[in-house]
Amino acid sequence: MFFIGIGTALLAAAIHFVVEKLAHFKFDLIKHYFDDCAKNNCLYQPALIWMGINLVITVAGASLVTFLQPMAAGSGIPYIKAYLNGVKIPGLLTFRAFVAKTLGVVLSILGGLACGKEGPMAHSGSIIAAGLGRGRINFCGGKSISFYSVFRNDHEIRDFVAGGAASGVSSAFGAPIGGTLFSLEEAASFWNQDLTWRVFFSSMVACFATNFLISAINGDPTKLTDPGLIRFNAFKFDLKFDLIEIPFFIFMAVVGGLSGALFVVMNYKLTVFRKRYLNKNWIKVVEAGLVAVVSAAVAFGLLVGINDCTDKAPFDSHAVTAAVYCTDKKHNSLSTLFLTTPEGCLKALLHDPFESHNPASLVAFVLIFFVLGVWTYGLSVSSGVFIPSLAIGAAWGRLIGIGVAYMMPDNPNLQLDVGKFALIGAASQLGGILRTTISLTVIIVECTDDISFGLPIMIVLMISKWVGDFITTGLYDMNVEVMGIPTLPFESPPLCEDLRASDVMSAPLATFKTKEKVETVYEMLKDETFCGFPVIEDDSLTTGKGKLKGLILRSQLLVLLKKKIFCPEGQVPPRNITIKDFRDFYPVYLKVSEIDLSDEEKSYVIDLKPYYNPSPYTVEKKFSLSRVFNLFRGLGLRHLIVTDEKNVPVGIVTRKDLAKFRVGSKRGLVKIEQLKIQDK
Amino acid sequence: MFFIGIGTALLAAAIHFVVEKLAHFKFDLIKHYFDDCAKNNCLYQPALIWMGINLVITVAGASLVTFLQPMAAGSGIPYIKAYLNGVKIPGLLTFRAFVAKTLGVVLSILGGLACGKEGPMAHSGSIIAAGLGRGRINFCGGKSISFYSVFRNDHEIRDFVAGGAASGVSSAFGAPIGGTLFSLEEAASFWNQDLTWRVFFSSMVACFATNFLISAINGDPTKLTDPGLIRFNAFKFDLKFDLIEIPFFIFMAVVGGLSGALFVVMNYKLTVFRKRYLNKNWIKVVEAGLVAVVSAAVAFGLLVGINDCTDKAPFDSHAVTAAVYCTDKKHNSLSTLFLTTPEGCLKALLHDPFESHNPASLVAFVLIFFVLGVWTYGLSVSSGVFIPSLAIGAAWGRLIGIGVAYMMPDNPNLQLDVGKFALIGAASQLGGILRTTISLTVIIVECTDDISFGLPIMIVLMISKWVGDFITTGLYDMNVEVMGIPTLPFESPPLCEDLRASDVMSAPLATFKTKEKVETVYEMLKDETFCGFPVIEDDSLTTGKGKLKGLILRSQLLVLLKKKIFCPEGQVPPRNITIKDFRDFYPVYLKVSEIDLSDEEKSYVIDLKPYYNPSPYTVEKKFSLSRVFNLFRGLGLRHLIVTDEKNVPVGIVTRKDLAKFRVGSKRGLVKIEQLKIQDK
């Protein structure tokens, strides 16, 4: 857990450093051409350079993701949520995914896409954790270096991944508590105090190490003033609030909820459209390139079109400011928003002094960033949606702040408060898009670094969530749904009380006897895709019926066959295998096709007795569905054997059988859908 | 949930107001006599008055708790933990307990005991929640007013209590996130996102309303500057820290862990001694009175004995300062520590300027408060251990701070930093005593109101927990253990892998057929104390053996008998009863002795078919104990039926059967104990 924290922090600091340096270089270059060409009438030059840089870098990033590991697309958080919920997702935690994700997010940001690096950090942290847990690196050719193997089982790896995700969030936002909650909230079924402490420890280490490294990059390692990649806390005034302001905040929360829901709906339509028509790899890459060029073109157009000159120095002294047509040492205020990374843009919106940005340019910014945000999320690039959401919200929050300040010109404090309104706007927009669960609330409060002001932020997040939930599900849940991942909700669907286990189970059932012919096992594994098989009593008269003895996993059977743990009937098997042999094959499961058996071997007998699990969880077939649900959620099961009254297995319930029943509550109506689950 | 939050906040504000006013009055009176008598040589007067006031008030408080509802003794947090863990505790959530707890804590603090009101707030909040959930007030004579009954089942009430406990903590500390975590951590087995939001909502409301009310008491309701009863955030300087300070903090954490463990060990011995020898009610009251008198006497002795004069104004401008022998407008610095509530004392230690308190008086204070704290916790009075722990830690933390400042006289900042060292000391002492789980960490960070400084606090809490855990369990866990409450730990004991369900189950078993003679049911209820009975198939040949059909609860059977839902054999029962009838009897369960049956009625037949639960959780008797454990924890079960291979029930496993196996890991060694569980 310690090394997970350190690893994540190193990664975070490295990404931060590389992105900042390269982005600064890029925008400096563009600014240079801008300022030169505004005088010499050659503005096509910066436009072409800008679009060209964006296109090349984004296409590189999109190709990396699309061809190396498509799992690395998007923020990764929906996948991590599903994984912690108990779903196996092949390829999610591999070295390839790590490369695609990490390099990909650097390229996406440099490519000028409206995206952040916070979601990908959680994913990368998880991969680091899984890698450390497995103690093995797999290379492309199937070769691997193995260090240790004690942690190689699903349960341990899941715990590590929980720690990794927490560390990722923690080092991204400097929010150790929020990060811990984030991963525990998703893994709630398997929560226990011990795990909590371990996860908390790793996210503390991550936060601390990130703080140290970034402070070191900034020149003073012992000051420890930068706990995360992004902070909202640099306000020049105290964040105080008065009861009188609460109605304003509530109004903003409602706006955030509505616009968040609009974001989700638009992105949903787009995602479905993409799934249906844009599913070729080259199309994906082309689309990403197109978005990058359009982003640059639109930003260029705004910079040239809106001549919003200001002489207020921007908050960030390193910000790139382009004059364009402005004179007298003024600069175009939009340049501080567009000639920077999305994070820099967010900072500018929160902290720039009053009157830095005029309302017209803010309106244009909101509209354009909203559309670009919707378009970008779901591209086949590594990208997070956190920062763009916050930036959109900060922009319209600032707009409202300016409006309030103009309405009450006799209160000079309100001019200082635009940053406060921007912060509230950012929070409510984020709440509306992601339907922030409690962990995200904590993350934002930790980012703000001021708990008294946490209260209005919490209220705003809660209300924007309610408003948004009334219209659609959150963005991540929408993602999970569209991808067809069988996650289980927290509560059993309310209207399925009358259903029984026998109504949802998969039957007929493939079972094994405690001693089984090798050929039977082999053929069964070839024919069926089940992950677990009930083992039944030997001496049953009818085929395939007999009292339940236990459960054996597909992966165990494959290892037994591969290692040839069988012998002619009546003989003692040549040797036993130990848990280490099973671990050697974790998590790269064998395929049936990799097993070679001679005809003689096929007639041998395999004794399952030492290997099957003698106490699998079972239910009677008349058991109510809602209680089956509770068992799955409460114990994190993947399969549950259904037996009849005589303890003879008659079927098996898997996650997919349960996830079929999903209840949507939309616009106040409750409906039950039976989903089609994608088989992978 | 909204009203739970509001109710808790009202209570918190009321307690705060009453305690502050009355305590101020009391200490002003004592100060008056002190200052007068120092000149006129009549110091016996303040001593007698002080001891007298303490004695009377404390005896009143102790009698209230001892005779009205002994469950109200102590902080109540261990009980609430056990309740949320799934244990039924009679009398815990009644109106009597509420009165004893709330009035009791006011009297304890006024009585000069070393205790706080934060733990009791969590308990009171829970009672408010349970009361609102039940929608009924029970009076002493068995009468009650009933408002609504939809929430009357264990599950709903438990959810409400989770919200109430969270609200209590939230309004005590102004820590809505910490409060939410506090109750979720304990109720982890039943966690789901929905409940999280509801709990979070109620604790937000509580925090907000407390803030509003206390701000109103202080004169300006819209300022919202006092979110909780206790805050650490009024530091006059920024809480910044440097990497160089971390080793100091770690050293302090180790000290806190060691002294915390000492506190627990001493209190453990004392508790066992009390349980054995001081178990008469009048002795309990006398002991409480004795502690109160000793507290006053010792404080008086110190004030007179140590003449620590200072002219530094105390942090709190309302503080009572007695001159005693000091002249020139100086006052005795110990008076700001002793002539105040424990909370005021904590505030003084954290915020008073450097050189307010000299090292000798601090040493005396630490020793005395430590002993008094140990002695007070566990008395039959309503008292929390939070504040005294913090005060002890703050005192020696300040001492270390003074030491560091003297060692490096050329760094003037260090003099400002005594408050910081006091805060770290307080946190580490608390961590050492309570072994703060993650929720308490969050509570302290929220109280400090500065997240950057959260990092060292978290480190300190973690280390002091580790050090303490190496020696003993935490104070609350020790309490739960001594009281013999069968809570289940988070993980199954590691060495019980080889045990089977049949090894721990209670057998022989009392079962019912689906149709049973009234007399049989009646006699069984009289003879057995089980809370649930398996119902078996009617047509079995051997008595008491038959396939399992379901499970019926003792409380259901009692209601059926009371409502006379039975009839002569062959007839149809007169009427059915609805869920409302069961709810009417919730939670004041009937006793067998309250049921009156004529001999004719005893020969009737009762049909259990409509009432039993047809899908109880069951396991086979060879099921491994650790998986039984997971079932109990994961699903929050109270009983689990064990069946043989033919689905015939052979035994029942209850919480008590499992809680017998407790693993202590002390001084690095793992041991398993089989505990004796108290039957109540």
Side-chain angles (χ1 to χ4, degrees):
Chain A
M1 283 292 176
F2 178 78
F3 288 108
I4 290 172
I6 296 286
T8 313
L10 281 174
L11 181 71
I15 291 184
H16 177 77
F17 183 71
V18 170
V19 167
E20 286 300 316
K21 286 291 161 203
L22 291 183
H24 213 269
F25 178 75
K26 166 186 159 187
F27 291 120
D28 256 346
L29 187 77
I30 295 171
K31 165 207 155 80
H32 179 74
Y33 276 95
F34 250 122
D35 291 351
D36 272 7
C37 286
K39 295 164 204 151
N40 308 331
N41 244 337
C42 58
L43 275 175
Y44 65 91
Q45 281 183 7
L48 285 183
I49 290 171
W50 197 347
M51 290 193 276
I53 294 178
N54 275 14
L55 179 67
V56 172
I57 296 180
T58 306
V59 165
S63 314
L64 188 72
V65 170
T66 312
F67 296 108
L68 189 64
Q69 180 51 272
M71 281 287 152
S75 81
I77 289 182
Y79 286 119
I80 297 294
K81 279 177 81 157
Y83 176 85
L84 291 176
N85 188 281
V87 183
K88 278 193 183 176
I89 302 175
L92 180 66
L93 299 172
T94 56
F95 187 64
R96 281 176 174 212
F98 181 73
V99 172
K101 192 96 219 174
T102 315
L103 263 184
V105 75
V106 172
L107 292 175
S108 302
I109 295 176
L110 290 179
L113 295 180
C115 66
K117 56 186 184 275
E118 279 63 27
M121 269 308 301
H123 188 174
S124 304
S126 308
I127 302 178
I128 291 179
L132 284 172
R134 286 176 196 145
R136 179 170 52 190
I137 302 169
N138 291 310
F139 298 106
C140 306
K143 282 176 196 153
S144 65
I145 308 173
S146 187
F147 301 101
Y148 44 88
S149 61
V150 278
F151 300 127
R152 281 185 203 157
N153 66 60
D154 281 0
H155 191 86
E156 294 279 359
I157 296 294
R158 191 156 52 196
D159 286 0
F160 278 120
V161 169
S167 309
V169 173
S170 163
S171 58
F173 297 99
I177 299 169
T180 309
L181 278 179
F182 170 79
S183 73
L184 291 180
E185 202 165 21
E186 304 312 329
S189 351
F190 325 109
W191 204 23
N192 66 56
Q193 237 168 349
D194 239 36
L195 176 60
T196 314
W197 268 102
R198 271 182 284 152
V199 169
F200 187 48
F201 177 68
S202 87
S203 66
M204 280 255 312
V205 170
C207 176
F208 198 81
T210 312
N211 198 334
F212 179 77
L213 289 169
I214 296 189
S215 300
I217 290 175
N218 293 344
D220 194 346
T222 66
K223 273 284 171 249
L224 302 182
T225 45
D226 293 286
L229 301 187
I230 175 164
R231 305 289 291 173
F232 313 147
N233 63 334
F235 287 97
K236 282 190 184 135
F237 50 93
D238 257 3
L239 279 172
K240 292 271 175 243
F241 69 102
D242 199 288
L243 197 62
I244 215 86
E245 292 172 318
I246 298 285
F248 279 106
F249 294 164
I250 290 177
F251 167 72
M252 291 172 76
V254 173
V255 173
L258 291 176
S259 73
L262 182 67
F263 189 101
V264 174
V265 169
M266 283 169 66
N267 193 264
Y268 173 75
K269 302 275 179 210
L270 186 63
T271 309
V272 172
F273 180 80
R274 273 184 187 136
K275 246 182 130 67
R276 207 165 287 163
Y277 302 108
L278 311 180
N279 43 18
K280 294 236 168 49
N281 279 346
W282 67 268
I283 297 187
K284 290 183 186 168
V285 174
V286 168
E287 196 199 355
L290 183 65
V291 175
V293 171
V294 170
S295 302
V298 169
F300 176 80
L302 277 186
L303 272 178
V304 177
I306 298 183
N307 207 7
D308 177 11
C309 296
T310 180
D311 54 358
K312 302 266 178 196
F315 165 77
D316 182 0
S317 53
H318 298 297
V320 177
T321 52
V324 195
Y325 292 127
C326 300
T327 46
D328 300 337
K329 289 192 180 164
K330 288 185 176 175
H331 65 275
N332 189 320
S333 77
L334 279 170
S335 68
T336 53
L337 301 185
F338 282 115
L339 289 179
T340 179
T341 58
E343 266 168 53
C345 162
L346 174 62
K347 263 190 208 157
L349 286 168
L350 288 178
H351 302 306
D352 274 358
F354 187 70
E355 295 190 327
S356 290
H357 305 281
N358 81 30
S361 55
L362 282 177
V363 170
F365 176 85
V366 169
L367 290 178
I368 283 164
F369 225 67
F370 191 88
V371 172
L372 286 178
V374 171
W375 198 6
T376 306
Y377 189 73
L379 283 181
S380 181
V381 296
S382 169
S383 69
V385 73
F386 231 90
I387 300 293
S389 311
L390 289 169
I392 296 167
W396 62 253
R398 197 179 181 91
L399 209 52
I400 291 181
I402 292 176
V404 172
Y406 274 120
M407 278 193 297
M408 300 185 227
D410 45 331
N411 186 346
N413 275 335
L414 283 171
Q415 298 205 357
L416 275 175
D417 283 0
V418 279
K420 195 159 78 181
F421 279 94
L423 180 60
I424 292 287
S428 65
Q429 182 68 54
L430 190 70
I433 292 179
L434 299 184
R435 301 314 139 68
T436 55
T437 43
I438 190 169
S439 60
L440 288 179
T441 311
V442 177
I443 291 173
I444 295 182
V445 174
E446 282 190 283
C447 272
T448 323
D449 206 9
D450 185 331
I451 295 190
S452 340
F453 199 65
L455 205 62
I457 288 185
M458 286 181 225
I459 295 174
V460 159
L461 281 169
M462 209 183 256
I463 292 173
S464 65
K465 179 190 154 69
W466 282 339
V467 171
D469 273 347
F470 193 72
I471 302 174
T472 56
T473 53
L475 188 64
Y476 292 150
D477 290 337
M478 183 276 285
N479 256 260
V480 167
E481 216 170 279
V482 172
M483 289 187 291
I485 299 173
T487 52
L488 295 186
F490 280 89
E491 297 265 5
S492 65
L495 304 180
C496 68
E497 276 294 333
D498 293 335
L499 291 172
R500 307 268 148 212
S502 54
D503 297 330
V504 296
M505 70 187 185
S506 311
L509 194 63
T511 57
F512 291 116
K513 298 180 194 160
T514 51
K515 283 193 179 186
E516 193 66 84
K517 266 187 76 178
V518 171
E519 190 174 3
T520 324
V521 174
Y522 181 71
E523 295 298 328
M524 187 83 91
L525 290 179
K526 235 170 41 183
D527 296 346
E528 302 285 352
T529 56
F530 295 126
C531 284
F533 299 88
V535 179
I536 57 176
E537 244 176 9
D538 245 354
D539 53 334
S540 58
L541 296 173
T542 44
T543 341
K545 295 271 167 195
K547 292 226 163 62
L548 182 73
K549 300 297 284 181
L551 178 86
I552 193 152
L553 298 178
R554 183 190 188 78
S555 55
Q556 289 177 305
L557 288 171
L558 285 168
V559 172
L560 290 176
L561 289 184
K562 181 82 184 175
K563 291 262 169 184
K564 299 195 189 298
I565 309 300
F566 40 72
C567 58
E569 209 169 341
Q571 292 187 17
V572 181
R575 61 203 163 103
N576 272 315
I577 56 173
T578 61
I579 192 151
K580 191 177 171 312
D581 293 282
F582 288 112
R583 279 181 182 150
D584 276 346
F585 288 96
Y586 184 89
V588 200
Y589 295 116
L590 291 160
K591 295 198 187 68
V592 188
S593 54
E594 291 173 30
I595 287 167
D596 237 356
L597 295 172
S598 68
D599 282 350
E600 196 197 334
E601 283 172 336
K602 282 190 181 171
S603 70
Y604 286 180
V605 169
I606 186 164
D607 184 6
L608 303 178
K609 202 153 180 20
Y611 307 113
Y612 67 74
N613 166 11
S615 21
Y617 294 108
T618 62
V619 290
E620 234 242 86
K621 63 182 176 187
K622 279 181 295 182
F623 219 68
S624 78
L625 182 59
S626 66
R627 301 199 123 203
V628 170
F629 219 95
N630 290 344
L631 271 169
F632 267 80
R633 273 305 305 191
L635 303 173
L637 298 184
R638 289 215 172 110
H639 22 61
L640 179 67
I641 300 172
V642 181
T643 61
D644 67 6
E645 289 171 352
K646 293 184 187 111
N647 204 19
V648 173
V650 293
I652 201 160
V653 178
T654 62
R655 277 186 165 256
K656 282 180 194 161
D657 296 320
L658 290 182
K660 275 191 289 201
F661 294 91
R662 172 137 338 156
V663 172
S665 103
K666 258 191 199 170
R667 286 163 216 123
L669 294 171
V670 175
K671 61 171 181 152
I672 293 193
E673 315 163 272
Q674 191 159 342
L675 301 175
K676 247 183 79 186
I677 306 289
Q678 199 177 345
D679 242 322
K680 277 192 191 173
Chain B
M1 282 291 175
F2 178 77
F3 289 108
I4 291 172
I6 295 287
T8 314
L10 280 173
L11 181 73
I15 293 184
H16 177 77
F17 183 71
V18 171
V19 167
E20 287 300 316
K21 287 291 162 204
L22 291 182
H24 213 268
F25 177 75
K26 166 185 160 188
F27 291 121
D28 255 346
L29 186 77
I30 296 171
K31 165 208 156 78
H32 179 73
Y33 277 94
F34 249 124
D35 291 352
D36 273 7
C37 287
K39 297 162 202 151
N40 309 332
N41 246 342
C42 58
L43 275 176
Y44 65 92
Q45 281 183 7
L48 286 183
I49 289 173
W50 197 348
M51 288 192 279
I53 294 178
N54 273 14
L55 179 67
V56 172
I57 295 180
T58 305
V59 165
S63 314
L64 187 72
V65 169
T66 312
F67 297 106
L68 190 64
Q69 179 51 274
M71 281 288 153
S75 79
I77 289 182
Y79 285 118
I80 297 294
K81 279 177 79 155
Y83 176 85
L84 291 177
N85 190 278
V87 183
K88 277 193 186 180
I89 301 174
L92 180 66
L93 299 173
T94 57
F95 187 65
R96 282 176 172 213
F98 181 73
V99 172
K101 193 97 220 173
T102 314
L103 262 184
V105 76
V106 172
L107 293 173
S108 302
I109 295 176
L110 291 178
L113 296 180
C115 66
K117 55 185 186 276
E118 277 63 26
M121 267 310 299
H123 188 174
S124 304
S126 307
I127 302 178
I128 291 179
L132 283 173
R134 285 177 197 144
R136 179 170 52 192
I137 303 170
N138 291 310
F139 298 106
C140 307
K143 282 177 195 150
S144 65
I145 308 174
S146 187
F147 300 100
Y148 45 87
S149 62
V150 279
F151 301 127
R152 281 184 203 157
N153 66 60
D154 282 0
H155 191 86
E156 295 279 358
I157 297 294
R158 188 153 57 197
D159 286 0
F160 278 120
V161 169
S167 308
V169 173
S170 163
S171 58
F173 298 100
I177 299 170
T180 308
L181 279 179
F182 170 80
S183 72
L184 290 180
E185 201 163 25
E186 305 312 328
S189 349
F190 323 110
W191 204 25
N192 65 56
Q193 234 169 350
D194 239 34
L195 176 61
T196 313
W197 268 102
R198 272 181 284 153
V199 169
F200 186 49
F201 177 67
S202 87
S203 68
M204 279 254 314
V205 170
C207 176
F208 198 81
T210 313
N211 196 335
F212 180 77
L213 290 169
I214 297 189
S215 299
I217 290 175
N218 293 345
D220 194 347
T222 67
K223 272 284 172 249
L224 303 183
T225 46
D226 293 283
L229 301 186
I230 175 163
R231 306 289 290 175
F232 313 147
N233 63 336
F235 287 98
K236 283 193 184 130
F237 49 91
D238 256 3
L239 279 173
K240 292 273 172 237
F241 69 102
D242 199 292
L243 197 61
I244 215 87
E245 293 173 317
I246 297 287
F248 280 104
F249 295 163
I250 290 177
F251 167 72
M252 291 173 73
V254 174
V255 173
L258 291 176
S259 73
L262 182 67
F263 189 100
V264 175
V265 170
M266 284 169 64
N267 193 268
Y268 174 76
K269 303 271 180 215
L270 186 63
T271 308
V272 172
F273 180 79
R274 273 189 188 135
K275 245 182 129 65
R276 205 165 290 162
Y277 302 108
L278 309 180
N279 43 17
K280 294 236 170 48
N281 278 346
W282 67 267
I283 298 188
K284 289 184 186 168
V285 174
V286 169
E287 196 199 357
L290 182 66
V291 175
V293 172
V294 170
S295 301
V298 169
F300 176 80
L302 276 186
L303 271 179
V304 177
I306 299 184
N307 206 4
D308 177 12
C309 295
T310 180
D311 54 357
K312 301 268 178 195
F315 164 76
D316 182 359
S317 53
H318 298 295
V320 177
T321 52
V324 195
Y325 293 125
C326 299
T327 47
D328 299 339
K329 291 194 178 162
K330 286 182 176 178
H331 66 274
N332 188 321
S333 78
L334 277 171
S335 68
T336 53
L337 300 185
F338 281 115
L339 289 179
T340 178
T341 58
E343 265 168 51
C345 162
L346 174 61
K347 262 189 209 159
L349 287 167
L350 288 178
H351 302 307
D352 273 357
F354 188 68
E355 293 188 331
S356 291
H357 306 280
N358 82 29
S361 55
L362 281 177
V363 170
F365 176 86
V366 169
L367 290 178
I368 283 164
F369 224 68
F370 190 88
V371 173
L372 285 179
V374 171
W375 198 4
T376 306
Y377 189 72
L379 283 181
S380 182
V381 295
S382 170
S383 68
V385 72
F386 230 93
I387 300 293
S389 311
L390 289 169
I392 296 167
W396 63 252
R398 196 181 179 90
L399 209 53
I400 292 182
I402 293 175
V404 172
Y406 274 120
M407 278 194 297
M408 299 184 224
D410 45 333
N411 186 347
N413 276 334
L414 282 171
Q415 297 203 357
L416 274 176
D417 281 1
V418 278
K420 192 159 81 183
F421 280 92
L423 179 61
I424 291 286
S428 66
Q429 183 68 52
L430 189 71
I433 292 179
L434 299 184
R435 303 311 141 67
T436 55
T437 45
I438 190 168
S439 60
L440 289 179
T441 312
V442 176
I443 291 172
I444 296 181
V445 174
E446 281 189 282
C447 272
T448 322
D449 204 12
D450 185 329
I451 296 192
S452 341
F453 200 65
L455 205 63
I457 290 185
M458 287 181 225
I459 295 173
V460 159
L461 282 168
M462 207 182 256
I463 292 172
S464 65
K465 178 190 156 70
W466 283 338
V467 171
D469 273 347
F470 193 71
I471 303 173
T472 58
T473 53
L475 188 65
Y476 291 148
D477 289 337
M478 182 277 284
N479 254 264
V480 167
E481 217 170 282
V482 172
M483 289 187 288
I485 297 174
T487 53
L488 296 186
F490 279 90
E491 296 263 6
S492 63
L495 305 179
C496 68
E497 275 295 332
D498 293 337
L499 291 172
R500 306 267 150 214
S502 53
D503 297 329
V504 296
M505 70 186 184
S506 312
L509 192 63
T511 56
F512 291 116
K513 297 181 194 158
T514 49
K515 284 195 178 185
E516 193 67 83
K517 265 186 77 181
V518 172
E519 189 172 6
T520 325
V521 174
Y522 182 70
E523 294 300 326
M524 187 83 91
L525 290 178
K526 234 167 45 180
D527 296 348
E528 302 285 352
T529 57
F530 296 125
C531 285
F533 298 89
V535 178
I536 57 175
E537 244 175 7
D538 245 353
D539 52 333
S540 58
L541 295 172
T542 46
T543 340
K545 296 269 169 198
K547 292 224 164 63
L548 181 72
K549 299 297 284 181
L551 180 85
I552 193 153
L553 298 178
R554 183 188 187 79
S555 54
Q556 289 177 306
L557 288 171
L558 285 168
V559 173
L560 289 177
L561 288 183
K562 181 82 185 173
K563 290 263 166 184
K564 301 200 190 297
I565 308 300
F566 40 69
C567 58
E569 210 171 339
Q571 290 186 14
V572 181
R575 58 203 166 107
N576 272 315
I577 56 174
T578 60
I579 192 149
K580 191 174 171 317
D581 294 280
F582 289 111
R583 279 184 183 147
D584 277 344
F585 288 96
Y586 184 88
V588 200
Y589 295 116
L590 291 161
K591 295 197 187 71
V592 188
S593 54
E594 291 174 33
I595 286 167
D596 238 357
L597 294 173
S598 69
D599 281 350
E600 197 200 334
E601 283 173 335
K602 282 190 181 171
S603 71
Y604 286 180
V605 168
I606 187 165
D607 183 7
L608 303 178
K609 201 151 182 18
Y611 307 113
Y612 66 73
N613 165 10
S615 21
Y617 294 108
T618 61
V619 292
E620 234 243 85
K621 64 183 178 187
K622 279 180 297 182
F623 218 71
S624 79
L625 181 59
S626 65
R627 301 199 125 205
V628 170
F629 219 92
N630 289 344
L631 269 170
F632 267 79
R633 274 302 308 188
L635 303 175
L637 297 184
R638 287 208 174 117
H639 20 62
L640 179 66
I641 300 173
V642 182
T643 61
D644 68 5
E645 288 172 351
K646 293 186 189 108
N647 203 18
V648 173
V650 293
I652 200 159
V653 179
T654 62
R655 278 186 163 258
K656 283 179 193 161
D657 296 319
L658 291 182
K660 275 191 288 202
F661 295 90
R662 175 139 333 160
V663 173
S665 104
K666 258 190 199 169
R667 286 163 214 119
L669 293 172
V670 175
K671 64 171 179 149
I672 292 194
E673 315 163 272
Q674 192 159 343
L675 302 175
K676 244 185 77 186
I677 305 289
Q678 199 178 343
D679 242 319
K680 278 194 191 173

